[in-house]
Amino acid sequence: MRAPLTRGRQKGESVETVDHDSEVEAGQRAARRDEAVRAAVEQGLLGPDRPLVGLLDVTGIRRAAAELRAAFDAATAPGTPVLHAFAVKATPLVPVLRLLHQAGIGAEVASPGELALARAAGIPAGATVLDSPAKTPAELREALALGIAVNADNPQELDRLDALMRSAPSRSPLGIRVNPQVGGGSIEALSTATATSKFGVALRDEGAREWVLRAYEERPWLTRLHAHTGSQGIPLSLMAQGVAETYALAEEINRRVGRRQVDTIDIGGGLPVNFSSDATAPTYAQYARLLAEAVPGLFDGRYGLVTEFGRSLLAKHGTIVARVEYAKTAGGRPVAVTHAGVQVATRTVYAPGAWPLRIAAYDAKGRPKEGPAVVQDVAGPACFAGDLLAREQPLPLLEQGDYAAALDTGAYYFAHHYAYNSLARPGVYGYAADGRGGVAFAVVREPQTVAEIVTESGGAHARALTALPTARDD
Ligand SMILES: *Cc1c(COP(=O)(O)O)cnc(C)c1O
């Protein structure tokens, strides 16, 4: 098996030490990926007329879910209720949610669409958490009618919950989202716990803590407390500090009201992902151990827990594979023009410094490409110069008909289609060993057709604008 080319670890990246098990797991995952790419070409999922696919490693997803559960089971007192709610926004695909559900994982949703996906996947209300920062009265009413947990983002939302609770009792567990304002990480747009972050009640603002304490005192039905302080680019120590401050607030609320009113703490998600090699780092076990050291009381059985991991569950189990349509040079630099660009890797294309991706090279038969590393660009199909999947990456020289694979793209990449240039959403397929030495694929999402693009772009209303009355001076 070939070791894929990797970027060196970058300064400031909080990659924890890689333990032996996760190194073995990383090697197995890379081997499964190589086999899947070859099988995708052999079985015709990829080819001249199907130049782009998203692939999901079903075995890897199952293992990640099992590792998450095992990590918190090992850290918590026996019998502690723990709900791991997958942040649906990371990979909003119904079959993925169903697979996770089967592996004991629920759903964290933040819009009517995400809630509908979770319900379509069969995730029960009791395993669903609603967190969006802009919930309408109708969404809140639906959530409370279904019994879905809701974390109120702000005082105005709490007013709405008050009104709903007065009009009809609900079995929904209800809480408030707080922002411990512990600071941001290296990616500004993803830092949820800065002083001015838009999420939750900013705890360190004047009067805010007292307001939260009183809110719980006055509402015996507020039984949860929520914070989500991590994300890509945030050091683990800062995440742990956010959790510690949330725990301290729960303790303070319970002291104030004189009983264990807050019975569950939702610590959010946000575990960063290592995009620079196949290794899973940090692991859930490392994070759970760190939390157990930093906030021992959180795990002693007095509180139920909710987690909301997204990226760390799915990122390393997805691969975008794109055919090299043309190989050229510009200014002396080789450029492989592929079918994967801004439409499937939007963040990488618009913010390449924050979101670099590793690329693996495969030949026309889908076999790992051999050969000396050549510094080259891997471009996408969109009509603007910045549409590059990778810049100056050393890879075996990509040639026409080869395939370029963007690794670790199972979360926030190919499932988040961006319709630039009316480029079609690629098909997404899950893969697993077929038990006979080969690879079996399952359709997760059909590729979008050109007819669908026309329909979704107002095709049924072609005459709508020309049919409007014409002004006399036109
Ligand atoms: C996005 C989000 C998550 C998931 O974050 P990841 O970085 O993908 O783990 C969890 N909770 C909330 C409230 C979120 O907004």
Side-chain angles (χ1 to χ4, degrees):
M1 188 202 64
R2 166 209 54 143
L5 288 155
T6 60
R7 280 188 307 124
R9 189 176 301 174
Q10 289 187 339
K11 218 173 85 200
E13 268 178 358
S14 67
V15 176
E16 305 290 294
T17 46
V18 176
D19 62 42
H20 177 69
D21 284 359
S22 62
E23 220 168 323
V24 170
E25 172 65 29
Q28 292 172 348
R29 189 163 54 229
R32 288 195 299 269
R33 181 176 66 223
D34 286 351
E35 298 207 346
V37 172
R38 196 178 48 204
V41 174
E42 270 167 18
Q43 297 181 30
L45 293 182
L46 263 172
D49 297 323
R50 303 182 81 173
L52 178 66
V53 289
L55 300 178
L56 286 167
D57 176 2
V58 171
T59 309
I61 295 169
R62 284 209 172 99
R63 289 197 184 157
E67 277 160 25
L68 171 59
R69 293 181 61 193
F72 280 79
D73 283 351
T76 49
T80 305
V82 183
L83 168 66
H84 297 292
F86 174 63
V88 169
K89 75 169 181 283
T91 310
L93 297 167
V94 174
V96 170
L97 304 181
R98 179 89 193 166
L99 176 68
L100 289 171
H101 175 46
Q102 194 199 54
I105 308 285
E108 186 264 355
V109 299
S111 71
E114 288 182 358
L115 175 55
L117 298 184
R119 297 186 74 193
I123 298 176
T128 306
V129 179
L130 174 65
D131 274 345
S132 109
K135 309 173 195 81
T136 64
E139 283 175 73
L140 289 167
R141 197 176 313 113
E142 184 188 18
L144 265 56
L146 293 169
I148 286 167
V150 177
N151 291 309
D153 182 85
N154 58 65
Q156 292 174 352
E157 190 169 301
L158 195 56
D159 288 345
R160 289 182 175 178
L161 288 181
D162 281 340
L164 288 165
M165 289 300 280
R166 271 195 301 273
S167 67
S170 167
R171 64 199 155 84
S172 289
L174 302 173
I176 294 179
R177 177 171 183 174
V178 295
N179 169 10
Q181 291 165 299
V182 290
S186 62
I187 305 175
E188 171 76 28
L190 265 69
S191 294
T192 49
T194 59
T196 56
S197 160
K198 73 174 180 181
F199 297 111
V201 177
L203 263 194
R204 293 184 187 176
D205 284 11
E206 205 186 326
R209 197 176 185 92
E210 188 51 35
W211 178 84
V212 171
L213 288 164
R214 205 158 329 121
Y216 279 81
E217 241 173 352
E218 290 165 358
R219 295 170 186 78
W221 41 265
L222 279 178
T223 57
R224 288 195 173 181
L225 190 63
H226 174 225
H228 166 65
T229 55
S231 210
Q232 193 66 23
I234 311 260
L236 286 195
S237 55
L238 202 63
M239 290 177 63
Q241 194 190 333
V243 173
E245 304 224 354
T246 309
Y247 167 79
L249 178 61
E251 293 278 278
E252 189 177 346
I253 293 167
N254 287 348
R255 269 198 306 276
R256 171 84 75 103
V257 300
R259 65 187 187 94
R260 307 259 335 280
Q261 180 175 326
V262 174
D263 60 18
T264 301
I265 299 181
D266 181 337
I267 64 170
L271 196 68
V273 165
N274 165 34
F275 284 96
S276 67
S277 76
D278 276 316
T280 301
T283 62
Y284 289 122
Q286 285 166 335
Y287 183 47
R289 281 197 295 269
L290 176 73
L291 286 180
E293 276 166 34
V295 203
L298 182 66
F299 289 154
D300 66 11
R302 288 175 304 134
Y303 290 100
L305 293 177
V306 177
T307 74
E308 304 171 344
F309 297 104
R311 181 177 290 106
S312 54
L313 260 173
L314 259 293
K316 298 207 87 68
H317 312 295
T319 308
I320 300 168
V321 193
R323 194 159 192 272
V324 178
E325 195 64 52
Y326 301 109
K328 56 202 272 190
T329 60
R333 183 181 303 166
V335 181
V337 180
T338 79
H339 289 273
V342 75
Q343 87 277 33
V344 285
T346 315
R347 278 184 172 158
T348 294
V349 168
Y350 286 132
W355 299 102
L357 285 174
R358 282 184 303 145
I359 307 294
Y362 294 91
D363 69 14
K365 293 192 162 159
R367 298 170 303 198
K369 186 139 193 179
E370 311 285 345
V374 176
V375 171
Q376 56 197 301
D377 285 355
V378 181
C383 296
F384 67 100
D387 187 36
L388 296 173
L389 207 51
R391 294 158 204 256
E392 299 183 58
Q393 217 172 99
L395 291 170
L397 186 65
L398 285 164
E399 296 166 289
Q400 187 170 38
D402 287 347
Y403 294 93
L407 309 183
D408 305 329
T409 49
Y412 302 100
Y413 277 95
F414 55 75
H416 291 60
H417 190 75
Y418 174 50
Y420 198 94
N421 271 147
S422 300
L423 289 160
R425 282 190 296 268
V428 176
Y429 304 88
Y431 59 88
D434 68 0
R436 287 170 282 123
V439 177
F441 290 98
V443 177
V444 172
R445 182 182 75 191
E446 299 278 0
Q448 189 184 30
T449 64
V450 167
E452 284 164 349
I453 292 175
V454 174
T455 302
E456 289 172 27
S457 304
H461 312 288
R463 292 184 182 78
L465 299 180
T466 50
L468 281 176
T470 310
R472 214 169 316 142
D473 53 2
D474 269 6

